[in-house]
Short mmCIF file of all heavy atoms in Angstrom, two decimals:
data_model
loop_
_atom_site.label_atom_id
_atom_site.label_comp_id
_atom_site.label_asym_id
_atom_site.label_seq_id
_atom_site.Cartn_x
_atom_site.Cartn_y
_atom_site.Cartn_z
N PRO A 23 -76.17 64.43 -178.07
CA PRO A 23 -76.83 64.43 -179.38
C PRO A 23 -78.26 63.90 -179.32
O PRO A 23 -79.11 64.33 -180.09
CB PRO A 23 -75.94 63.52 -180.23
CG PRO A 23 -74.60 63.59 -179.57
CD PRO A 23 -74.89 63.70 -178.10
N GLU A 24 -78.51 62.98 -178.40
CA GLU A 24 -79.85 62.44 -178.27
C GLU A 24 -80.81 63.44 -177.65
O GLU A 24 -81.97 63.56 -178.04
CB GLU A 24 -79.83 61.16 -177.42
CG GLU A 24 -79.11 59.98 -178.06
CD GLU A 24 -77.60 60.13 -178.00
OE1 GLU A 24 -77.11 60.91 -177.15
OE2 GLU A 24 -76.91 59.47 -178.79
N ALA A 25 -80.32 64.21 -176.67
CA ALA A 25 -81.18 65.16 -175.97
C ALA A 25 -81.32 66.47 -176.73
O ALA A 25 -82.38 67.11 -176.70
CB ALA A 25 -80.64 65.44 -174.56
N TYR A 26 -80.24 66.90 -177.43
CA TYR A 26 -80.25 68.19 -178.10
C TYR A 26 -79.75 68.04 -179.55
O TYR A 26 -78.72 68.59 -179.92
CB TYR A 26 -79.36 69.19 -177.35
CG TYR A 26 -79.68 69.30 -175.89
CD1 TYR A 26 -78.82 68.77 -174.93
CD2 TYR A 26 -80.84 69.95 -175.45
CE1 TYR A 26 -79.11 68.87 -173.58
CE2 TYR A 26 -81.14 70.05 -174.11
CZ TYR A 26 -80.27 69.51 -173.17
OH TYR A 26 -80.56 69.61 -171.84
N PRO A 27 -80.47 67.31 -180.37
CA PRO A 27 -79.98 67.02 -181.72
C PRO A 27 -79.80 68.26 -182.58
O PRO A 27 -78.87 68.34 -183.39
CB PRO A 27 -81.06 66.09 -182.30
CG PRO A 27 -82.29 66.40 -181.50
CD PRO A 27 -81.80 66.70 -180.12
N HIS A 28 -80.68 69.25 -182.41
CA HIS A 28 -80.59 70.44 -183.26
C HIS A 28 -79.43 71.34 -182.85
O HIS A 28 -78.79 71.96 -183.71
CB HIS A 28 -81.91 71.21 -183.23
CG HIS A 28 -83.09 70.37 -183.62
ND1 HIS A 28 -83.20 69.78 -184.86
CD2 HIS A 28 -84.18 69.99 -182.92
CE1 HIS A 28 -84.32 69.08 -184.92
NE2 HIS A 28 -84.94 69.19 -183.75
N LEU A 29 -79.16 71.41 -181.56
CA LEU A 29 -78.01 72.17 -181.09
C LEU A 29 -76.71 71.54 -181.58
O LEU A 29 -75.79 72.24 -182.03
CB LEU A 29 -78.00 72.23 -179.56
CG LEU A 29 -78.88 73.30 -178.90
CD1 LEU A 29 -78.89 73.12 -177.39
CD2 LEU A 29 -78.39 74.69 -179.26
N VAL A 30 -76.63 70.23 -181.50
CA VAL A 30 -75.44 69.53 -181.97
C VAL A 30 -75.26 69.74 -183.47
O VAL A 30 -74.14 69.99 -183.95
CB VAL A 30 -75.52 68.03 -181.62
CG1 VAL A 30 -74.37 67.27 -182.29
CG2 VAL A 30 -75.48 67.83 -180.12
N GLU A 31 -76.35 69.63 -184.20
CA GLU A 31 -76.27 69.83 -185.65
C GLU A 31 -75.77 71.23 -185.98
O GLU A 31 -74.88 71.40 -186.83
CB GLU A 31 -77.65 69.62 -186.29
CG GLU A 31 -77.67 69.89 -187.78
CD GLU A 31 -79.08 69.95 -188.34
OE1 GLU A 31 -79.98 70.47 -187.65
OE2 GLU A 31 -79.25 69.50 -189.50
N PHE A 32 -76.32 72.25 -185.31
CA PHE A 32 -75.92 73.62 -185.59
C PHE A 32 -74.46 73.86 -185.21
O PHE A 32 -73.70 74.50 -185.94
CB PHE A 32 -76.81 74.62 -184.84
CG PHE A 32 -76.51 76.05 -185.18
CD1 PHE A 32 -77.09 76.64 -186.30
CD2 PHE A 32 -75.64 76.81 -184.41
CE1 PHE A 32 -76.80 77.95 -186.63
CE2 PHE A 32 -75.34 78.12 -184.73
CZ PHE A 32 -75.93 78.69 -185.86
N ALA A 33 -74.07 73.34 -184.07
CA ALA A 33 -72.70 73.55 -183.60
C ALA A 33 -71.69 72.90 -184.54
O ALA A 33 -70.70 73.52 -184.94
CB ALA A 33 -72.53 72.99 -182.19
N THR A 34 -71.94 71.66 -184.92
CA THR A 34 -70.95 70.91 -185.71
C THR A 34 -70.96 71.30 -187.19
O THR A 34 -69.91 71.32 -187.83
CB THR A 34 -71.19 69.40 -185.58
OG1 THR A 34 -72.53 69.09 -185.98
CG2 THR A 34 -70.97 68.95 -184.15
N GLU A 35 -72.14 71.60 -187.71
CA GLU A 35 -72.24 71.85 -189.15
C GLU A 35 -72.27 73.33 -189.51
O GLU A 35 -72.21 73.69 -190.70
CB GLU A 35 -73.47 71.15 -189.72
CG GLU A 35 -73.40 69.64 -189.57
CD GLU A 35 -74.55 68.93 -190.24
OE1 GLU A 35 -75.16 69.52 -191.16
OE2 GLU A 35 -74.85 67.78 -189.85
N ARG A 36 -72.35 74.18 -188.49
CA ARG A 36 -72.38 75.61 -188.76
C ARG A 36 -71.32 76.36 -187.95
O ARG A 36 -70.35 76.87 -188.49
CB ARG A 36 -73.78 76.16 -188.45
CG ARG A 36 -73.93 77.67 -188.48
CD ARG A 36 -73.82 78.23 -189.87
NE ARG A 36 -74.17 79.64 -189.89
CZ ARG A 36 -73.79 80.48 -190.83
NH1 ARG A 36 -73.06 80.06 -191.83
NH2 ARG A 36 -74.14 81.76 -190.79
N ALA A 37 -71.50 76.40 -186.63
CA ALA A 37 -70.64 77.23 -185.79
C ALA A 37 -69.19 76.77 -185.75
O ALA A 37 -68.28 77.58 -185.56
CB ALA A 37 -71.20 77.31 -184.37
N LEU A 38 -68.96 75.46 -185.93
CA LEU A 38 -67.60 74.95 -185.86
C LEU A 38 -66.92 74.84 -187.22
O LEU A 38 -65.77 74.40 -187.32
CB LEU A 38 -67.58 73.57 -185.19
CG LEU A 38 -67.87 73.56 -183.69
CD1 LEU A 38 -67.95 72.14 -183.17
CD2 LEU A 38 -66.78 74.34 -182.95
N GLN A 39 -67.61 75.29 -188.26
CA GLN A 39 -67.03 75.22 -189.59
C GLN A 39 -66.00 76.35 -189.78
O GLN A 39 -66.14 77.43 -189.20
CB GLN A 39 -68.12 75.33 -190.66
CG GLN A 39 -69.04 74.13 -190.72
CD GLN A 39 -68.29 72.83 -190.99
OE1 GLN A 39 -67.56 72.72 -191.96
NE2 GLN A 39 -68.46 71.86 -190.10
N PRO A 40 -64.95 76.10 -190.57
CA PRO A 40 -63.92 77.13 -190.81
C PRO A 40 -64.55 78.40 -191.37
O PRO A 40 -65.41 78.35 -192.25
CB PRO A 40 -63.00 76.47 -191.84
CG PRO A 40 -63.20 75.00 -191.64
CD PRO A 40 -64.63 74.83 -191.27
N GLY A 41 -64.13 79.54 -190.82
CA GLY A 41 -64.59 80.82 -191.32
C GLY A 41 -65.91 81.30 -190.75
O GLY A 41 -66.40 82.37 -191.13
N TYR A 42 -66.49 80.52 -189.84
CA TYR A 42 -67.77 80.96 -189.27
C TYR A 42 -67.59 82.28 -188.52
O TYR A 42 -66.65 82.44 -187.74
CB TYR A 42 -68.33 79.92 -188.31
CG TYR A 42 -69.56 80.43 -187.55
CD1 TYR A 42 -70.78 80.56 -188.21
CD2 TYR A 42 -69.48 80.78 -186.20
CE1 TYR A 42 -71.90 81.04 -187.54
CE2 TYR A 42 -70.59 81.25 -185.53
CZ TYR A 42 -71.80 81.38 -186.20
OH TYR A 42 -72.90 81.85 -185.53
N ASP A 43 -68.47 83.22 -188.79
CA ASP A 43 -68.41 84.53 -188.16
C ASP A 43 -69.83 84.95 -187.78
O ASP A 43 -70.67 85.16 -188.64
CB ASP A 43 -67.80 85.56 -189.12
CG ASP A 43 -67.71 86.95 -188.52
OD1 ASP A 43 -67.99 87.11 -187.31
OD2 ASP A 43 -67.36 87.89 -189.26
N PHE A 44 -70.08 85.04 -186.48
CA PHE A 44 -71.41 85.44 -186.03
C PHE A 44 -71.80 86.80 -186.59
O PHE A 44 -72.99 87.08 -186.82
CB PHE A 44 -71.45 85.48 -184.50
CG PHE A 44 -72.77 85.93 -183.94
CD1 PHE A 44 -73.85 85.07 -183.90
CD2 PHE A 44 -72.94 87.23 -183.45
CE1 PHE A 44 -75.08 85.48 -183.40
CE2 PHE A 44 -74.16 87.64 -182.95
CZ PHE A 44 -75.23 86.77 -182.92
N GLY A 45 -70.83 87.65 -186.85
CA GLY A 45 -71.12 88.98 -187.36
C GLY A 45 -71.83 88.98 -188.70
O GLY A 45 -72.50 89.96 -189.05
N GLU A 46 -71.71 87.90 -189.45
CA GLU A 46 -72.40 87.81 -190.74
C GLU A 46 -73.91 87.81 -190.57
O GLU A 46 -74.65 88.14 -191.50
CB GLU A 46 -71.95 86.57 -191.49
CG GLU A 46 -70.50 86.61 -191.93
CD GLU A 46 -70.06 85.33 -192.62
OE1 GLU A 46 -70.89 84.41 -192.74
OE2 GLU A 46 -68.88 85.26 -193.04
N GLU A 47 -74.38 87.41 -189.38
CA GLU A 47 -75.81 87.42 -189.13
C GLU A 47 -76.36 88.85 -189.16
O GLU A 47 -77.54 89.06 -189.46
CB GLU A 47 -76.13 86.77 -187.77
CG GLU A 47 -75.47 85.41 -187.53
CD GLU A 47 -75.87 84.35 -188.54
OE1 GLU A 47 -76.79 84.58 -189.34
OE2 GLU A 47 -75.23 83.28 -188.55
N PHE A 48 -75.51 89.81 -188.85
CA PHE A 48 -75.94 91.21 -188.90
C PHE A 48 -76.29 91.61 -190.33
O PHE A 48 -77.34 92.23 -190.57
CB PHE A 48 -74.83 92.12 -188.36
CG PHE A 48 -75.20 93.57 -188.36
CD1 PHE A 48 -75.94 94.12 -187.32
CD2 PHE A 48 -74.80 94.41 -189.40
CE1 PHE A 48 -76.29 95.47 -187.33
CE2 PHE A 48 -75.15 95.74 -189.42
CZ PHE A 48 -75.89 96.28 -188.37
N GLU A 49 -75.42 91.28 -191.26
CA GLU A 49 -75.65 91.62 -192.66
C GLU A 49 -76.93 90.98 -193.17
O GLU A 49 -77.71 91.60 -193.90
CB GLU A 49 -74.46 91.21 -193.51
CG GLU A 49 -73.16 91.89 -193.10
CD GLU A 49 -71.96 91.30 -193.81
OE1 GLU A 49 -72.16 90.51 -194.76
OE2 GLU A 49 -70.82 91.63 -193.42
N PHE A 50 -77.15 89.72 -192.79
CA PHE A 50 -78.35 89.01 -193.23
C PHE A 50 -79.61 89.70 -192.70
O PHE A 50 -80.55 89.99 -193.44
CB PHE A 50 -78.32 87.55 -192.76
CG PHE A 50 -79.57 86.79 -193.08
CD1 PHE A 50 -79.75 86.21 -194.32
CD2 PHE A 50 -80.59 86.66 -192.13
CE1 PHE A 50 -80.91 85.51 -194.63
CE2 PHE A 50 -81.76 85.97 -192.43
CZ PHE A 50 -81.92 85.39 -193.68
N GLY A 51 -79.63 89.96 -191.40
CA GLY A 51 -80.81 90.58 -190.78
C GLY A 51 -81.09 91.96 -191.32
O GLY A 51 -82.25 92.32 -191.57
N LEU A 52 -80.03 92.75 -191.52
CA LEU A 52 -80.21 94.10 -192.06
C LEU A 52 -80.78 94.04 -193.46
O LEU A 52 -81.69 94.81 -193.81
CB LEU A 52 -78.87 94.84 -192.04
CG LEU A 52 -78.88 96.28 -192.57
CD1 LEU A 52 -79.82 97.15 -191.76
CD2 LEU A 52 -77.47 96.85 -192.57
N ASP A 53 -80.28 93.12 -194.28
CA ASP A 53 -80.79 92.98 -195.65
C ASP A 53 -82.27 92.58 -195.66
O ASP A 53 -83.03 93.04 -196.51
CB ASP A 53 -79.97 91.95 -196.43
CG ASP A 53 -78.68 92.54 -196.98
OD1 ASP A 53 -78.56 93.77 -197.05
OD2 ASP A 53 -77.78 91.75 -197.34
N VAL A 54 -82.67 91.73 -194.73
CA VAL A 54 -84.08 91.33 -194.65
C VAL A 54 -84.96 92.55 -194.39
O VAL A 54 -85.99 92.76 -195.06
CB VAL A 54 -84.29 90.28 -193.55
CG1 VAL A 54 -85.78 90.07 -193.29
CG2 VAL A 54 -83.65 88.95 -193.95
N ILE A 55 -84.57 93.38 -193.44
CA ILE A 55 -85.35 94.57 -193.12
C ILE A 55 -85.40 95.53 -194.30
O ILE A 55 -86.46 96.03 -194.68
CB ILE A 55 -84.75 95.28 -191.88
CG1 ILE A 55 -84.89 94.39 -190.64
CG2 ILE A 55 -85.43 96.63 -191.65
CD1 ILE A 55 -84.16 94.92 -189.42
N LEU A 56 -84.25 95.77 -194.92
CA LEU A 56 -84.20 96.71 -196.04
C LEU A 56 -84.94 96.17 -197.25
O LEU A 56 -85.55 96.94 -198.01
CB LEU A 56 -82.74 97.02 -196.38
CG LEU A 56 -81.95 97.75 -195.29
CD1 LEU A 56 -80.51 97.96 -195.73
CD2 LEU A 56 -82.59 99.09 -194.94
N ASP A 57 -84.90 94.84 -197.46
CA ASP A 57 -85.66 94.24 -198.57
C ASP A 57 -87.15 94.51 -198.42
O ASP A 57 -87.84 94.85 -199.39
CB ASP A 57 -85.41 92.73 -198.63
CG ASP A 57 -84.06 92.37 -199.23
OD1 ASP A 57 -83.42 93.26 -199.82
OD2 ASP A 57 -83.65 91.20 -199.09
N VAL A 58 -87.64 94.33 -197.20
CA VAL A 58 -89.08 94.55 -196.95
C VAL A 58 -89.44 96.02 -197.18
O VAL A 58 -90.45 96.33 -197.84
CB VAL A 58 -89.45 94.12 -195.52
CG1 VAL A 58 -90.88 94.53 -195.19
CG2 VAL A 58 -89.29 92.61 -195.36
N LEU A 59 -88.64 96.92 -196.65
CA LEU A 59 -88.91 98.34 -196.86
C LEU A 59 -88.85 98.70 -198.33
O LEU A 59 -89.68 99.48 -198.83
CB LEU A 59 -87.91 99.18 -196.07
CG LEU A 59 -88.02 99.12 -194.54
CD1 LEU A 59 -86.89 99.93 -193.91
CD2 LEU A 59 -89.37 99.64 -194.07
N GLU A 60 -87.89 98.14 -199.05
CA GLU A 60 -87.75 98.44 -200.47
C GLU A 60 -88.96 97.95 -201.26
O GLU A 60 -89.45 98.65 -202.17
CB GLU A 60 -86.48 97.80 -201.01
CG GLU A 60 -86.08 98.28 -202.39
CD GLU A 60 -84.65 97.92 -202.73
OE1 GLU A 60 -84.28 96.74 -202.56
OE2 GLU A 60 -83.91 98.82 -203.16
N ARG A 61 -89.47 96.77 -200.92
CA ARG A 61 -90.65 96.26 -201.61
C ARG A 61 -91.87 97.13 -201.31
O ARG A 61 -92.69 97.39 -202.20
CB ARG A 61 -90.92 94.81 -201.20
CG ARG A 61 -89.94 93.80 -201.82
CD ARG A 61 -90.48 92.39 -201.73
NE ARG A 61 -90.59 91.93 -200.36
CZ ARG A 61 -89.62 91.30 -199.70
NH1 ARG A 61 -88.46 91.08 -200.29
NH2 ARG A 61 -89.80 90.89 -198.46
N MET A 62 -92.00 97.56 -200.07
CA MET A 62 -93.13 98.42 -199.71
C MET A 62 -93.09 99.74 -200.48
O MET A 62 -94.10 100.21 -200.99
CB MET A 62 -93.11 98.70 -198.20
CG MET A 62 -93.41 97.49 -197.34
SD MET A 62 -93.28 97.87 -195.57
CE MET A 62 -94.59 99.07 -195.40
N ILE A 63 -91.89 100.30 -200.58
CA ILE A 63 -91.75 101.56 -201.30
C ILE A 63 -92.04 101.37 -202.78
O ILE A 63 -92.73 102.18 -203.42
CB ILE A 63 -90.34 102.13 -201.07
CG1 ILE A 63 -90.17 102.55 -199.61
CG2 ILE A 63 -90.08 103.33 -202.01
CD1 ILE A 63 -88.75 102.88 -199.24
N ALA A 64 -91.53 100.28 -203.36
CA ALA A 64 -91.73 100.01 -204.78
C ALA A 64 -93.21 99.81 -205.12
O ALA A 64 -93.67 100.18 -206.20
CB ALA A 64 -90.92 98.78 -205.21
N ARG A 65 -93.96 99.22 -204.20
CA ARG A 65 -95.38 98.98 -204.41
C ARG A 65 -96.23 100.21 -204.05
O ARG A 65 -97.45 100.17 -204.19
CB ARG A 65 -95.87 97.79 -203.57
CG ARG A 65 -95.31 96.45 -204.00
CD ARG A 65 -96.15 95.31 -203.43
NE ARG A 65 -96.27 95.42 -201.99
CZ ARG A 65 -95.54 94.74 -201.10
NH1 ARG A 65 -94.60 93.91 -201.55
NH2 ARG A 65 -95.71 94.85 -199.82
N GLY A 66 -95.58 101.24 -203.58
CA GLY A 66 -96.34 102.41 -203.16
C GLY A 66 -96.99 102.21 -201.81
O GLY A 66 -97.97 102.87 -201.48
N ASN A 67 -96.44 101.26 -201.03
CA ASN A 67 -96.98 100.97 -199.70
C ASN A 67 -96.21 101.69 -198.61
O ASN A 67 -96.10 101.21 -197.50
CB ASN A 67 -96.94 99.47 -199.41
CG ASN A 67 -97.97 98.70 -200.23
OD1 ASN A 67 -98.67 99.31 -201.03
ND2 ASN A 67 -98.03 97.41 -200.05
N GLY A 68 -95.67 102.85 -198.94
CA GLY A 68 -94.95 103.60 -197.94
C GLY A 68 -95.88 104.33 -197.00
O GLY A 68 -95.45 105.02 -196.08
N ASP A 69 -97.18 104.20 -197.28
CA ASP A 69 -98.16 104.84 -196.40
C ASP A 69 -98.45 103.95 -195.20
O ASP A 69 -97.92 102.85 -195.08
CB ASP A 69 -99.47 105.09 -197.18
CG ASP A 69 -99.24 106.06 -198.32
OD1 ASP A 69 -98.36 106.92 -198.18
OD2 ASP A 69 -99.94 105.94 -199.34
#
């Protein structure tokens, strides 16, 4: 914990929590990309 505090924090408070599923990161990342494209299209920035 002293050498890698952020890794320990992520492991204990995120990856080791009940129901953690790495696959959920796919949905998050895909939504980020589609959100950006949607905003560009809405603003007429599809060029």
Side-chain angles (χ1 to χ4, degrees):
E24 293 76 21
Y26 307 108
H28 304 299
L29 278 173
V30 172
E31 177 191 37
F32 185 84
T34 56
E35 297 185 23
R36 171 69 171 158
L38 289 175
Q39 291 302 305
Y42 172 73
D43 180 7
F44 178 77
E46 293 177 359
E47 311 300 350
F48 181 84
E49 300 171 11
F50 175 84
L52 180 60
D53 278 343
V54 169
I55 294 172
L56 295 178
D57 283 348
V58 172
L59 292 176
E60 193 165 50
R61 286 197 294 270
M62 292 177 64
I63 292 170
R65 293 198 305 261
N67 289 2
D69 296 330

